[in-house]
Amino acid sequence: MGQINVVTQRSLPAPPDRVLDLAADYAGTRAQLWPENITDYQVLAGGKGPGTRISYRLHATKKRIRDVAAEVSAPDAQSLVEADQNSTLRTVWRVRPEGDGSHVTVMTTWTGAGGVGGFFERIFAPIGVRKLWTAVLDNLSARL
């Protein structure tokens, strides 16, 4: 078992506070940013920023589906952390100034499985997770 880290980055043409505001709007904007491999998305508590609780089903493959129940925190003014309460899965959003816009980094980490299954997880899971966050950032960019 080892730590798996997947990083997706993007420059966006909007100030950091606008980008973070949209990313933290779990009841509104975020619900519209998910690609098709996220289903059953719900806001369980809150809806905006820290203290929000969300759930969804992540379809990694046709047969591999992960139920996520995440709680949102904001360790600083430039970050959001979505921590799954069912596993070690954590996604950290960092939005920093870059010229006239923003630089967004989305990093997802989790403790992978061991053995042969873990070997394939370390190879293929990052591809799917990167594709997920690339789609979310594409959709976010289109809203700016």
Side-chain angles (χ1 to χ4, degrees), residues 37-132:
N37 61 327
I38 297 292
T39 61
D40 302 321
Y41 176 77
Q42 295 179 35
V43 175
L44 305 173
K48 186 85 171 175
T52 297
R53 289 184 16 243
I54 59 173
S55 68
Y56 56 89
R57 300 189 85 198
L58 168 59
H59 298 257
T61 66
K62 288 181 182 180
K63 294 182 180 180
R64 185 153 170 79
I65 300 169
R66 176 179 281 215
D67 290 317
V68 176
E71 189 164 320
V72 179
S73 62
D76 57 55
Q78 297 178 324
S79 302
L80 288 171
V81 177
E82 300 165 6
D84 184 16
Q85 303 303 294
N86 298 326
S87 71
T88 59
L89 184 76
R90 283 174 52 100
T91 297
V92 178
W93 285 72
R94 286 201 174 84
V95 182
R96 296 205 160 88
E98 180 181 76
D100 291 339
S102 303
H103 184 80
V104 180
T105 302
V106 182
M107 183 172 68
T108 299
T109 62
W110 71 95
T111 303
V116 174
F119 171 78
F120 287 105
E121 180 182 23
R122 285 187 299 280
I123 291 174
F124 295 109
I127 295 167
V129 172
R130 195 169 294 110
K131 184 177 177 181
L132 163 73

